[in-house]
Amino acid sequence: MKQRTGRAAEIGLLTFAAVIVSCALIIVELNQDQQLSWDLAWYGGGYLLALLITHLLVRWLAPYADPVLMPVAALLNGLGLVMIHRLDLADVARAKAGGDPTGALEAPLQLMWTAVALGLFLLVLLVVRDHTKLQNYAYTLALAGVVFLAIPAILPARYSAVNGAKIWIKIPGLFSIQPSEFAKIALIIFCAAFLSSRVGVLGQAGKRFLGLTLPRMRDLGPLALVLVIALGILVRGNDLGTSLLLFGIVLVMLYLATSRISWVIICLLAFGAGCVLMYQLFPHFKVRVDIWLHPFADPSGSSYQLVQSLFGLGTGGIFGTGLGAGRPDLVPFASTDFITAAFGEELGLVGLTVIIVLYMLLTSRGIRTGIAARDKFGALLAGGLAFSIALQVFIIVGGVTRLIPLTGLTTPFLSYGGSSLLANYMILALLVRISDSSRRPPPPPPVLGASSADDAAGAGGTGGPGGSGPDGSGPGSSGETGRVRLGKPQQLGEVHTQMLTVPGRRGRDGGQASAGKGKDAGRGTGNGRGSER
Amino acid sequence: MSRPLGSLQRPLRKIGTAMLVLLCLLLVNLAYTQVIKASDYSSNPLNRRTQLADFNRQRGQISAAGGVVLASSVPSDDQFRYQRSYPRGAAFANLTGYLSLRYGKTGLESSQNALLSGDDPELTVTNLSDLVTGRDPRGANVELTVVPKLQQVAYDQLASKNLTGAVVALQPKTGAVLAMVTSPSFNPNPLASHSTDTQREAYNKLREALTTTAPDPTVNRAIESVYPPGSTFKLVVSAAALQNGFTPNSAVTGVNRITLPGTGGATLSNYGGETCANRGGSDVTLTQALAHSCNTAFAEVAMKVGAAKLKEQAASFGVGESASIAGLPGAASRVGDMPDQAAVAQSGIGQRDVAFSPMQNAEVVASIANAGQRMQPYLVSRVTKPDLSLLSSTEPTSMGQAVPTEIAGQIRDMMRESEKSLQSSLGQQQFAQYDIASKTGTAEHGSNPKTTPPHAWYVAFAPATDPQIAVAVFVANGGDRGLSATGASVAGPVGHAVIAAALGGG
């Protein structure tokens, strides 16, 4: 029964993550010749307690959620905490040697943010009991996201610029928020809602040009508008990393909704042309590319950060110097943008490979959540969110390791930063919510036939759905429905998304309303399936 | 309920694959960065980690003769495991140099770094076994030939009177450097401090000299700089003359002034415009000319010997070779082109384009002391592994016969006369017991030599019959005597003190 929900697996994996994080922390302390103090035990204990509480509440809020998502995020978060603490120790030592006052410690703050983020994670699970309801707020979210994104551009630099990037909202001395992290989620939700409402129309109408079917402007108009505004704001604020991220996410979600590789190619060509243009027009952009191509041309000037990062990675080699035994603090922004370089130096290629594999695991489970989702919106949302994590990791780690030009982004769950942590736990909460709904067994009067076999596969979290009947008939019918319904109240997002609600989901809504009943039923069927396998 | 989502599953799978490919690209690039490019990055001189590693492992020690520690790594309980310390401070700073976190390394810390840090290929076997046994890799120890007492005496002689100068003492039979001193010097300890502020303060103090007229404490004057040798060059001229028809008793001119040929009346005169040995201008012997350092006599002797033979003789003393020793940077001494007879005359008294490092001058006297055979000076006597077993040791190397043995003996006797003359002029008889053979030099320099205090030189070896030490003392710009300074009055006492310390026992 517990195998069925995956909660036992989750607590097992969480324990595993906790053991690894604790060991890492102890190794850091030993290598830094620190006394193992009770303070540290409090920190460690606090982190473990927060995880335990979160797990127990997930049992209540999303009992059928994918058991791998949370532990992987917790492990990455914990490793990040250890590294941030380790960098704190280096800062303290450096301040002591230089006779300077010790700066603010980042690890306690990050731990506080972890607690807040776990709270937010639970809050999202509590509030969003049915992810499909998010569609009702698609346009509201898009508007809020764009406005939020625009605030730093409007604010004076004193309240918005950190290290030259005008992408923050900061109240000096109190807090600073990076709106792009949250706007990203709002835009993904909007994108998923918008595209899922137009799945049928998108690929079918439009002019043909050189063998490609071009989308009609009115089908993509709102999305294109939102994207252009968002990218405009970001490029103006010199936030190339987030621009690239948003563009990539929307592109992939467009592909998910239409299966048209041709559009992806068109967009990539446009992107390439845009890059060439920007290289010519924006000195800022040109500098980034030049640093990437020739990092050792100006190693103590413009490319200092990248060169230091490469030195760290090179010194780490295959096995690393050992946690706490290297000098990752020599790399600027080691706790935020360059945390991968810090891990690469102290844990080596082996350690970084493990971290990348953790991201592979996390994002693959996200994609799997999308595949198992029972609604288009959920599938698109899960796919978009999972891909956003993967692309963000690719952009920042690729930048730090000189695979692509360096653009500033945080490394999800690892990097120091409240906004990043909160936003990523929100993403995690949405994935957990979607996976819970897809793995949740159907309500008591079970539907016979192929669809129940589907559910079994989805719930088990292995393999793809087997039902071929719905697969074949699905797109046509839903597309038809979508087009017909959309014909009526085009401009009112809330209304038309409500109209989209398909009978199948209604049924699930019923199941969710009586959550206890659904769970009981699930246990019943779960036992049966468990024994079959 | 049906699943109308077939259309999304295929693209999702494809995106899932694309995602994994992206992340795999990261892994491939990481493998390239951390395996193939790793050693490039980790050994890049801009990578401060290698430098920082020096503070976290037990670097080998630098010691002087008798095991006196000049530089060692002592355990430290701050952010680094070891603190580099220089217990003998400024007197040895031109040898040890410093190892600073912010400002890099200098001196032997830099030139012997591979051995001291343990990175030298010869040490890798030891360090591999250290890795297996779990001990921190340690560096090799470098032992110098320097005798701490002599180095300290020589440094104190210069530093106590605020003299700018250098002392080089060699063991004539082997070429071992017994002392190599420069003044002013600096205390290397604050530069090796783990406190950034202390380092910065000490470094800024070192650099002050560059913006003022104060002498630069980072210059190792013993080997890095060349100065006109003045009358000490007469030893080289004598060596050439005695091989070309002259004897110690040959008659040479004793006039107070001669006119330089082909200059339209330019003259060259003796020190203070006196006649040689105050004998009214009558001829003197070569020995007397050397003892009283008569310029007119040696100008004429040089012209008779000729530029070619002078250059040849200088070269056989090592002039033209770099004074670099144990990897410490050194300058090459020179005699100049000597294009005409006037130039030869001026060069014959160690002026014009002739420029010697104190090390070069010490080599000249050491070769004369060693029966004419020039030995290659060396500073490192041996290198021991971290476990104190021998890694390498230096064998004395002969650089060939600078002058025939017989002529070396003649010069030696002439130098004894010179020392007698010096001691009587100083009114000091207490050094007679050491049987010193010497030559002083007072070298003019600067754009207006009459108003610029001269450089003072003293080169000597003792005991003359069984030489144990050859020494060259250089004091810049008149030392504490200003325009009236002479080699005898300024450099002589320093040399005497060093010789007394070397031979006085105790």
Side-chain angles (χ1 to χ4, degrees), chain A residues 308-326:
Chain A
Q308 291 303 316
S309 166
L310 292 176
F311 283 166
L313 290 167
T315 308
I318 297 176
F319 297 106
T321 58
L323 269 176

PDB file of all heavy atoms in Angstrom, chain A residues 308-326:
ATOM      1  N   GLN A 308      38.728  32.483 -13.401  1.00  0.00           N
ATOM      2  CA  GLN A 308      38.810  31.942 -12.040  1.00  0.00           C
ATOM      3  C   GLN A 308      37.991  30.661 -11.917  1.00  0.00           C
ATOM      4  O   GLN A 308      38.387  29.703 -11.253  1.00  0.00           O
ATOM      5  CB  GLN A 308      38.303  32.980 -11.027  1.00  0.00           C
ATOM      6  CG  GLN A 308      39.208  34.187 -10.876  1.00  0.00           C
ATOM      7  CD  GLN A 308      40.611  33.811 -10.478  1.00  0.00           C
ATOM      8  OE1 GLN A 308      40.831  32.985  -9.608  1.00  0.00           O
ATOM      9  NE2 GLN A 308      41.597  34.381 -11.156  1.00  0.00           N
ATOM     10  N   SER A 309      36.836  30.664 -12.574  1.00  0.00           N
ATOM     11  CA  SER A 309      35.981  29.482 -12.542  1.00  0.00           C
ATOM     12  C   SER A 309      36.687  28.286 -13.186  1.00  0.00           C
ATOM     13  O   SER A 309      36.695  27.178 -12.648  1.00  0.00           O
ATOM     14  CB  SER A 309      34.675  29.801 -13.269  1.00  0.00           C
ATOM     15  OG  SER A 309      33.963  28.637 -13.546  1.00  0.00           O
ATOM     16  N   LEU A 310      37.316  28.541 -14.338  1.00  0.00           N
ATOM     17  CA  LEU A 310      38.034  27.456 -15.029  1.00  0.00           C
ATOM     18  C   LEU A 310      39.203  26.962 -14.181  1.00  0.00           C
ATOM     19  O   LEU A 310      39.460  25.757 -14.111  1.00  0.00           O
ATOM     20  CB  LEU A 310      38.537  27.953 -16.387  1.00  0.00           C
ATOM     21  CG  LEU A 310      37.451  28.252 -17.421  1.00  0.00           C
ATOM     22  CD1 LEU A 310      38.063  28.826 -18.696  1.00  0.00           C
ATOM     23  CD2 LEU A 310      36.658  26.994 -17.743  1.00  0.00           C
ATOM     24  N   PHE A 311      39.909  27.887 -13.513  1.00  0.00           N
ATOM     25  CA  PHE A 311      41.007  27.492 -12.640  1.00  0.00           C
ATOM     26  C   PHE A 311      40.488  26.565 -11.546  1.00  0.00           C
ATOM     27  O   PHE A 311      41.111  25.560 -11.210  1.00  0.00           O
ATOM     28  CB  PHE A 311      41.649  28.722 -11.996  1.00  0.00           C
ATOM     29  CG  PHE A 311      42.555  29.494 -12.928  1.00  0.00           C
ATOM     30  CD1 PHE A 311      42.979  30.771 -12.611  1.00  0.00           C
ATOM     31  CD2 PHE A 311      42.986  28.930 -14.111  1.00  0.00           C
ATOM     32  CE1 PHE A 311      43.805  31.478 -13.455  1.00  0.00           C
ATOM     33  CE2 PHE A 311      43.815  29.627 -14.973  1.00  0.00           C
ATOM     34  CZ  PHE A 311      44.223  30.907 -14.632  1.00  0.00           C
ATOM     35  N   GLY A 312      39.345  26.946 -10.980  1.00  0.00           N
ATOM     36  CA  GLY A 312      38.757  26.139  -9.913  1.00  0.00           C
ATOM     37  C   GLY A 312      38.432  24.741 -10.421  1.00  0.00           C
ATOM     38  O   GLY A 312      38.792  23.735  -9.801  1.00  0.00           O
ATOM     39  N   LEU A 313      37.793  24.689 -11.580  1.00  0.00           N
ATOM     40  CA  LEU A 313      37.407  23.394 -12.144  1.00  0.00           C
ATOM     41  C   LEU A 313      38.643  22.566 -12.471  1.00  0.00           C
ATOM     42  O   LEU A 313      38.701  21.371 -12.188  1.00  0.00           O
ATOM     43  CB  LEU A 313      36.577  23.603 -13.408  1.00  0.00           C
ATOM     44  CG  LEU A 313      35.179  24.182 -13.186  1.00  0.00           C
ATOM     45  CD1 LEU A 313      34.578  24.644 -14.506  1.00  0.00           C
ATOM     46  CD2 LEU A 313      34.274  23.151 -12.534  1.00  0.00           C
ATOM     47  N   GLY A 314      39.647  23.237 -13.072  1.00  0.00           N
ATOM     48  CA  GLY A 314      40.864  22.529 -13.453  1.00  0.00           C
ATOM     49  C   GLY A 314      41.618  22.005 -12.238  1.00  0.00           C
ATOM     50  O   GLY A 314      42.135  20.883 -12.243  1.00  0.00           O
ATOM     51  N   THR A 315      41.664  22.815 -11.189  1.00  0.00           N
ATOM     52  CA  THR A 315      42.357  22.389  -9.976  1.00  0.00           C
ATOM     53  C   THR A 315      41.634  21.207  -9.335  1.00  0.00           C
ATOM     54  O   THR A 315      42.255  20.302  -8.787  1.00  0.00           O
ATOM     55  CB  THR A 315      42.454  23.557  -8.973  1.00  0.00           C
ATOM     56  OG1 THR A 315      42.998  24.678  -9.648  1.00  0.00           O
ATOM     57  CG2 THR A 315      43.325  23.192  -7.795  1.00  0.00           C
ATOM     58  N   GLY A 316      40.309  21.218  -9.434  1.00  0.00           N
ATOM     59  CA  GLY A 316      39.530  20.118  -8.861  1.00  0.00           C
ATOM     60  C   GLY A 316      39.829  18.802  -9.549  1.00  0.00           C
ATOM     61  O   GLY A 316      39.926  17.763  -8.912  1.00  0.00           O
ATOM     62  N   GLY A 317      39.965  18.860 -10.872  1.00  0.00           N
ATOM     63  CA  GLY A 317      40.270  17.639 -11.615  1.00  0.00           C
ATOM     64  C   GLY A 317      39.180  16.602 -11.490  1.00  0.00           C
ATOM     65  O   GLY A 317      38.001  16.929 -11.368  1.00  0.00           O
ATOM     66  N   ILE A 318      39.583  15.348 -11.503  1.00  0.00           N
ATOM     67  CA  ILE A 318      38.597  14.269 -11.538  1.00  0.00           C
ATOM     68  C   ILE A 318      37.944  14.074 -10.175  1.00  0.00           C
ATOM     69  O   ILE A 318      36.730  13.961 -10.056  1.00  0.00           O
ATOM     70  CB  ILE A 318      39.262  12.959 -12.006  1.00  0.00           C
ATOM     71  CG1 ILE A 318      39.778  13.137 -13.437  1.00  0.00           C
ATOM     72  CG2 ILE A 318      38.261  11.804 -11.930  1.00  0.00           C
ATOM     73  CD1 ILE A 318      40.535  11.957 -13.983  1.00  0.00           C
ATOM     74  N   PHE A 319      38.750  14.063  -9.117  1.00  0.00           N
ATOM     75  CA  PHE A 319      38.191  13.717  -7.814  1.00  0.00           C
ATOM     76  C   PHE A 319      38.010  14.912  -6.885  1.00  0.00           C
ATOM     77  O   PHE A 319      37.470  14.784  -5.796  1.00  0.00           O
ATOM     78  CB  PHE A 319      39.073  12.666  -7.129  1.00  0.00           C
ATOM     79  CG  PHE A 319      39.129  11.376  -7.892  1.00  0.00           C
ATOM     80  CD1 PHE A 319      40.249  11.027  -8.608  1.00  0.00           C
ATOM     81  CD2 PHE A 319      38.021  10.542  -7.919  1.00  0.00           C
ATOM     82  CE1 PHE A 319      40.292   9.851  -9.332  1.00  0.00           C
ATOM     83  CE2 PHE A 319      38.054   9.365  -8.638  1.00  0.00           C
ATOM     84  CZ  PHE A 319      39.188   9.011  -9.346  1.00  0.00           C
ATOM     85  N   GLY A 320      38.510  16.088  -7.291  1.00  0.00           N
ATOM     86  CA  GLY A 320      38.336  17.262  -6.456  1.00  0.00           C
ATOM     87  C   GLY A 320      39.339  17.308  -5.323  1.00  0.00           C
ATOM     88  O   GLY A 320      40.052  16.348  -5.053  1.00  0.00           O
ATOM     89  N   THR A 321      39.360  18.445  -4.658  1.00  0.00           N
ATOM     90  CA  THR A 321      40.295  18.617  -3.550  1.00  0.00           C
ATOM     91  C   THR A 321      39.713  18.068  -2.260  1.00  0.00           C
ATOM     92  O   THR A 321      40.416  17.954  -1.259  1.00  0.00           O
ATOM     93  CB  THR A 321      40.582  20.103  -3.320  1.00  0.00           C
ATOM     94  OG1 THR A 321      39.341  20.752  -3.056  1.00  0.00           O
ATOM     95  CG2 THR A 321      41.220  20.746  -4.523  1.00  0.00           C
ATOM     96  N   GLY A 322      38.440  17.735  -2.272  1.00  0.00           N
ATOM     97  CA  GLY A 322      37.759  17.353  -1.037  1.00  0.00           C
ATOM     98  C   GLY A 322      36.986  18.554  -0.514  1.00  0.00           C
ATOM     99  O   GLY A 322      37.457  19.686  -0.619  1.00  0.00           O
ATOM    100  N   LEU A 323      35.799  18.285   0.040  1.00  0.00           N
ATOM    101  CA  LEU A 323      34.971  19.385   0.541  1.00  0.00           C
ATOM    102  C   LEU A 323      35.698  20.120   1.651  1.00  0.00           C
ATOM    103  O   LEU A 323      36.160  19.515   2.608  1.00  0.00           O
ATOM    104  CB  LEU A 323      33.654  18.832   1.083  1.00  0.00           C
ATOM    105  CG  LEU A 323      32.491  18.741   0.107  1.00  0.00           C
ATOM    106  CD1 LEU A 323      31.307  18.096   0.785  1.00  0.00           C
ATOM    107  CD2 LEU A 323      32.129  20.109  -0.423  1.00  0.00           C
ATOM    108  N   GLY A 324      35.835  21.426   1.489  1.00  0.00           N
ATOM    109  CA  GLY A 324      36.473  22.220   2.539  1.00  0.00           C
ATOM    110  C   GLY A 324      37.971  22.318   2.371  1.00  0.00           C
ATOM    111  O   GLY A 324      38.628  23.028   3.124  1.00  0.00           O
ATOM    112  N   ALA A 325      38.545  21.601   1.391  1.00  0.00           N
ATOM    113  CA  ALA A 325      40.005  21.587   1.255  1.00  0.00           C
ATOM    114  C   ALA A 325      40.492  22.390   0.058  1.00  0.00           C
ATOM    115  O   ALA A 325      41.679  22.482  -0.170  1.00  0.00           O
ATOM    116  CB  ALA A 325      40.522  20.155   1.167  1.00  0.00           C
ATOM    117  N   GLY A 326      39.570  22.957  -0.728  1.00  0.00           N
ATOM    118  CA  GLY A 326      39.992  23.743  -1.880  1.00  0.00           C
ATOM    119  C   GLY A 326      39.880  25.225  -1.578  1.00  0.00           C
ATOM    120  O   GLY A 326      39.751  25.627  -0.432  1.00  0.00           O
TER     121      GLY A 326
END
